[in-house]
Structures are given as structure tokens and as C-alpha cells.
Amino acid sequence: LIELQNTLVFKVDRRMNKTEIKKEIENQFNVKVHSISTLIRNNTKYVYARLEAKNTSIDVATKLGML
């Protein structure tokens, strides 16, 4: 998901909407978000954030210590 689709997955507060999530990701990591998809499972909200082509998700994942 990270390499092929340039997408990162986050667990967020259920009360946040897509616009708030997008702004938070862009401000926190200095990237541009192309699209946001959400999934609610077991009372937990997951966000799939697809980044713009010029911002690679691998760089963000490395900063977070995921890779």
C-alpha cells in the first residue's frame, strides 16, 4: 500500500471529518494529500490518505519510524 499506491493508513478520532483529517496530515508532515478514504471498524476510525505524486509516502513512513 505504501509503495504501490502512495498511501498511508492512520487511526484517528472518530469525530474528525475528512477535511479536518486532510488539513492535519498536510500540516503535520508538510505534504499534499490527494484523497482521503475512511473506514470505521470496531468503533475505531481508520484513514487511508493518498498523497500527491511529488510527495512519497515512503519518506513520511521513514520519518515516522515505520520503515
Side-chain angles (χ1 to χ4, degrees), residues 19-34:
T19 307
E20 293 172 337
I21 295 166
K22 183 176 180 178
K23 286 180 184 176
E24 186 69 27
I25 292 171
E26 289 179 344
N27 290 336
Q28 190 78 24
F29 302 112
N30 294 324
V31 296
K32 286 288 185 185
V33 176
H34 180 265

